[in-house]
Amino acid sequence: MEEREKDRGIMGPEQGDPGKGREQPASMSTPNSVMAKEEKGMEEREMKKEMELEMELKAEVKVELCPTVPGLQMSFIRGTDLFGYVGIEAVLDQMRRKTIKAGLEFNIMVVGQSGLGKSTLVNTLFKSKVSRKSCTPNYEEKISKTVKLHSVSHVIEEKGVKMKLTVIDTPGFGDQINNDNCWEPIVKHVNEQYEKYLREELHINRKRRIPDSRVHCCIYFLPATGHRLRPIDVEFMKRLGKIVSIVPVIAKADTLTIEERQEFKEQIRQDLAANGIRVYPQKEYDEDPEERILNDRIRESIPFAVVGTDKEHQVNGNKVLGRKTKWGIIEVENVAHCEFANLRDLLIRSHLQDLKDVTHDIHYETYRVRRLNESNMNYSELGLSTWPLENKCESDSHL
């Protein structure tokens, strides 16, 4: 017995039964186990494909009822649910190319007493000589006995984008001893441009692109008195605020201290609210919460305290637009000195298209409905009659 055990111990498991005495390494597997693993992997891949297909089907049948049209079903498919790239976002490039090719039109009116810097501010806004005073040779400053409207047009090009800018000046406004109804020529001019656009729309063979001479924005200049709004300011803005977008500004705000400026702005805001005067941007036209937050910030700054100049000065080695005084240089585009930059951003960089949309969708639409109701839809009368545009002098230039 002992000899057999010794022999078995000497021989070891290597010499024993291969099926019983030898243990298979963990890394090696039999053909049956390999086949079983492959079958299991195939089953897992098939299950994964079925789950992905089920998720795609769920994405496709994601249907919401359209709230605006009863009985109409509209599906909403997100970008992550698409099978691949469609190219819908390329329409933005198409719109950009079309806009660059066609160009823009923007008509701005400046209203205020003589000597408040209307021409200078417009030149500062567009950094060029665009005001009537600047582009008229041998111009002489005269106080007009009546309110007259003069418009001057320019084509401004920047980085391939062309914009036809029309500046409408109102010399004589508020300069008389008796200023009763001095706003009537301005109201008449605004309505004439709406009427002109309406007639073009009602033509049988109308133009593919109707020339737009409607006033998109009116900048109203308030003198930096430090007191409340004057009766002429209240009456003008109450009447014009119903037919055009008004942006009030405090002219030559460098004549006020910071404390006086803030107190004056607060008094003006109180007067605007007390008299029911609507200035741009109006709360009822905010389309979404993000736009409301931006417009609330703008409404808190109205009226903008601005300073205008077209002269450059050296400040810390850099050229800046500013007014040089005995005590230093007032930098026009420095928000710590004045609010010109905020006004420029509103009119050009952030709300230019919105100003045009409000003019077309709100003010012009209100005029159109009223005018068509008055004429009882008499298209022929509207299309054939013409109104002479009085008190208007146009000149064109290309910058």
Side-chain angles (χ1 to χ4, degrees):
M1 289 288 292
E2 294 177 358
E3 290 179 357
R4 290 180 180 175
E5 289 175 359
K6 285 180 180 178
D7 293 337
R8 191 179 298 171
I10 294 171
M11 293 173 62
E14 297 176 355
Q15 302 294 330
D17 188 10
K20 293 181 182 179
R22 188 187 304 171
E23 294 181 1
Q24 298 291 339
S27 61
M28 297 179 63
S29 58
T30 63
N32 293 334
S33 63
V34 172
M35 291 178 63
K37 286 182 178 180
E38 289 179 354
E39 291 177 357
K40 187 176 180 181
M42 291 176 63
E43 290 177 358
E44 289 178 353
R45 285 194 295 271
E46 289 178 356
M47 289 178 62
K48 189 175 181 181
K49 287 182 179 179
E50 289 178 358
M51 290 177 63
E52 290 177 354
L53 182 61
E54 186 178 356
M55 290 176 64
E56 289 176 356
L57 291 173
K58 284 182 179 180
E60 288 179 356
V61 299
K62 194 186 298 178
V63 176
E64 297 177 359
L65 288 177
C66 181
T68 56
V69 183
L72 176 66
Q73 289 185 343
M74 180 176 65
S75 62
F76 181 74
I77 303 175
R78 300 182 183 276
T80 54
D81 300 328
L82 298 173
F83 299 138
Y85 177 72
V86 178
I88 300 174
E89 50 89 20
V91 73
L92 297 176
D93 295 330
Q94 300 173 32
M95 295 170 64
R96 176 179 173 82
R97 286 195 301 269
K98 191 172 182 180
T99 302
I100 291 175
K101 185 177 179 180
L104 305 171
E105 290 178 317
F106 188 56
N107 308 317
I108 187 170
M109 176 183 282
V110 288
V111 181
Q113 288 179 321
S114 300
L116 291 181
K118 300 187 295 294
S119 300
T120 304
L121 183 69
V122 172
N123 292 342
T124 311
L125 274 173
F126 297 97
K127 295 191 175 180
S128 54
K129 305 290 186 179
V130 295
S131 67
R132 179 179 62 95
K133 180 179 178 180
S134 301
C135 62
T136 302
N138 301 323
Y139 178 82
E140 293 183 7
E141 188 72 41
K142 295 180 180 179
I143 297 179
S144 177
K145 295 182 180 179
T146 58
V147 179
K148 296 181 180 179
L149 277 77
H150 298 274
S151 65
V152 56
S153 298
H154 307 268
V155 176
I156 302 176
E157 183 176 355
E158 183 182 37
K159 294 184 178 180
V161 181
K162 293 181 180 179
M163 181 179 72
K164 182 183 178 183
L165 172 69
T166 301
V167 181
I168 303 106
D169 196 4
T170 56
F173 177 84
D175 294 332
Q176 313 303 319
I177 297 175
N178 183 4
N179 289 309
D180 289 346
N181 302 323
C182 62
W183 49 81
E184 287 185 353
I186 300 172
V187 174
K188 181 182 177 183
H189 175 84
V190 173
N191 287 329
E192 280 178 351
Q193 306 317 306
Y194 290 150
E195 182 72 17
K196 185 178 178 181
Y197 195 90
L198 177 61
R199 289 201 204 100
E200 290 290 342
E201 277 194 334
L202 297 179
H203 283 161
I204 296 175
N205 298 320
R206 60 184 179 182
K207 299 177 182 177
R208 186 175 180 182
R209 185 180 181 186
I210 301 174
D212 190 2
S213 60
R214 298 168 297 180
V215 180
H216 300 129
C217 178
C218 174
I219 304 179
Y220 186 71
F221 288 72
L222 298 167
T225 61
H227 304 295
R228 295 185 176 273
L229 291 178
R230 303 167 300 168
I232 187 176
D233 302 329
V234 174
E235 292 299 324
F236 175 84
M237 288 193 283
K238 282 178 71 173
R239 285 167 169 78
L240 266 291
K242 299 175 182 178
I243 60 175
V244 72
S245 298
I246 293 182
V247 178
V249 299
I250 301 173
K252 297 187 175 180
D254 51 334
T255 60
L256 299 172
T257 64
I258 300 297
E259 294 78 11
E260 290 172 343
R261 182 193 302 175
Q262 287 303 118
E263 185 179 353
F264 189 33
K265 285 163 65 76
E266 185 60 35
Q267 289 176 347
I268 291 174
R269 282 194 289 265
Q270 292 175 3
D271 289 346
L272 292 174
N275 291 279
I277 298 173
R278 303 168 61 190
V279 297
Y280 183 85
Q282 293 92 332
K283 285 186 178 180
E284 57 267 29
Y285 301 154
D286 296 343
E287 296 181 352
D288 51 62
E290 183 179 353
E291 186 176 348
R292 187 177 300 112
I293 293 173
L294 174 62
N295 289 344
D296 282 341
R297 200 177 302 124
I298 295 171
R299 283 187 280 265
E300 290 174 358
S301 300
I302 287 178
F304 297 105
V306 297
V307 177
T309 185
D310 52 5
K311 295 181 180 179
E312 292 183 336
H313 300 278
Q314 289 281 346
V315 176
N316 298 327
N318 299 321
K319 283 187 176 182
V320 297
L321 287 171
R323 286 170 55 86
K324 189 173 183 179
T325 66
K326 190 176 180 179
W327 303 273
I329 295 176
I330 302 166
E331 299 176 31
V332 170
E333 296 179 305
N334 188 340
V335 293
H337 293 188
C338 72
E339 296 171 335
F340 169 81
N342 298 336
L343 174 66
R344 178 202 57 205
D345 293 347
L346 171 69
L347 295 179
I348 302 173
R349 302 186 181 182
S350 64
H351 284 68
L352 188 148
Q353 186 58 47
D354 188 65
L355 282 164
K356 298 183 65 174
D357 292 342
V358 169
T359 300
H360 182 77
D361 299 335
I362 307 297
H363 300 305
Y364 169 70
E365 192 65 21
T366 302
Y367 178 87
R368 189 185 70 86
V369 171
R370 177 176 62 83
R371 190 70 177 91
L372 293 180
N373 286 334
E374 289 175 357
S375 61
N376 294 322
M377 304 296 288
N378 190 346
Y379 293 103
S380 60
E381 180 185 349
L382 284 174
L384 295 175
S385 62
T386 56
W387 286 6
L389 299 182
E390 301 173 354
N391 298 330
K392 186 175 179 183
C393 173
E394 293 191 358
S395 61
D396 294 333
S397 69
H398 185 87
L399 299 182

